[in-house]
Amino acid sequence: MEILSDDQVDDITRRNAALALGSIRGPARPVTPQLVEMTLAGDEASAWAAKALSLMGPAARDATDDLSRIARDEDQDKMLRLLSLEALGQIGGAHPQAIPALVSVVTEETDPALRGLAIEALGIAGRDAAIAGPMLVRILRNPRETDEVRRQSTITLGKLGDQAAIAVGPLAETLVFDESEAVRDAAALSLATLGPRGQAMLLRFLNHEDASLRWRAALALGDVPGQNDEVNAALLTALADADLHVQLRAAQSLVKLKTD
């Protein structure tokens, strides 16, 4: 902390001191107030301090209120806002206000890029962000949202795990009907991580008449956690699919499952 605070030290060394502090995580918690003070100073070292708080993860929970204010302040430097969002996602459930702060940015911010970053931060929080599931489903279904915001919402739903089981139906609809190829890709991959219901949906899509649904399902099944005999058997059957793309994706997933 002494190195990071000393403006006579060269920038590379100060930056590395910040990264080291963040990597120490729990034992670095006593310097959280100093890191917050540096973050709020608004100079070049502010970004380093904010990154240190992000790397600390739950150990930076005492900085939640200040990080929340930075993340919501439209007059703040955009990079500092981005790093504050990342830090809030890393803090996750370690502080009761971290997830609500991210949700407020998603609902109140007008800049689609920052909204997307806040949604990504909810994904970093993972299961701790389960309360955001219904909001993310609404975003996914809103045609006025940008494709990138909708894609990021789809990805984050998948990171909520079985806590987001309500999203299985909307994700399946997205996979079938959405006009964005990128959003459809993300929907398939997210279904694989939403527990038995999501995986059962993908297995059904393996028999769909639309080859684009079959190969997306085959690819996504490679992300199913743990060993699953039903998934393995279905992918082995897909190796004989009439569509070469489906065969290739099934083979890719089988190799991935065996490796994992």
Side-chain angles (χ1 to χ4, degrees):
M1 193 66 224
E2 288 179 13
I3 294 171
L4 179 58
S5 303
D6 188 349
D7 58 12
Q8 299 304 307
V9 175
D10 66 275
D11 289 349
I12 294 176
T13 302
R14 293 179 74 195
R15 182 197 64 192
N16 288 342
L19 297 177
L21 271 173
S23 299
I24 292 170
R25 297 174 72 84
R29 188 180 177 193
V31 301
T32 299
Q34 292 167 271
L35 289 172
V36 169
E37 184 178 350
M38 290 189 70
T39 300
L40 293 171
D43 55 19
E44 184 177 0
S46 295
W48 303 337
K51 185 61 180 180
L53 290 169
S54 175
L55 291 171
M56 285 171 64
R61 56 188 175 275
D62 296 338
T64 299
D65 290 342
D66 291 296
L67 291 168
S68 299
R69 282 192 288 273
I70 294 171
R72 294 195 298 260
D73 187 353
E74 295 183 357
D75 295 326
Q76 279 284 356
D77 176 76
K78 193 169 184 177
M79 178 58 70
L80 276 185
R81 295 184 72 189
L82 183 159
L83 290 168
S84 296
L85 291 170
E86 180 182 288
L88 288 168
Q90 295 287 358
I91 292 168
H95 192 286
Q97 294 306 312
I99 301 303
L102 292 172
V103 170
S104 70
V105 173
V106 176
T107 56
E108 299 169 9
E109 178 61 46
T110 56
D111 183 345
L114 279 168
R115 292 182 70 231
L117 290 168
I119 294 169
E120 184 176 357
L122 288 168
I124 293 173
R127 293 169 181 266
D128 289 344
I131 60 169
M135 175 192 70
L136 295 171
V137 169
R138 289 195 297 273
I139 291 172
L140 175 60
R141 285 176 156 172
N142 187 350
R144 289 176 293 183
E145 297 281 3
T146 66
D147 283 352
E148 179 53 30
V149 167
R150 293 172 56 248
R151 186 186 74 87
Q152 192 57 61
S153 295
T154 304
I155 293 171
T156 294
L157 281 168
K159 293 182 178 180
L160 302 184
D162 54 13
Q163 298 294 315
I166 61 166
V168 169
L171 286 171
E173 292 174 8
T174 298
L175 176 55
V176 176
F177 298 113
D178 206 272
E179 295 182 358
S180 167
E181 295 291 315
V183 175
R184 293 179 71 196
D185 291 345
L189 295 173
S190 289
L191 281 170
T193 60
L194 294 187
R197 287 185 59 198
Q199 294 155 24
M201 189 66 70
L202 288 173
L203 290 171
R204 288 176 56 189
F205 282 132
L206 269 184
N207 297 311
H208 200 280
E209 61 181 15
D210 185 343
S212 71
L213 291 176
R214 299 201 305 277
W215 72 252
R216 283 187 169 92
L219 178 63
L221 286 168
D223 285 344
V224 170
Q227 293 296 315
N228 188 309
D229 292 340
E230 186 178 9
V231 168
N232 286 331
L235 288 171
L236 285 170
T237 301
L239 291 176
D241 193 278
D243 186 273
L244 179 60
H245 203 178
V246 178
Q247 297 175 31
L248 292 172
R249 295 306 188 186
Q252 181 180 342
S253 289
L254 283 167
V255 170
K256 185 176 182 181
L257 289 171
K258 184 175 181 180
T259 303
D260 292 344

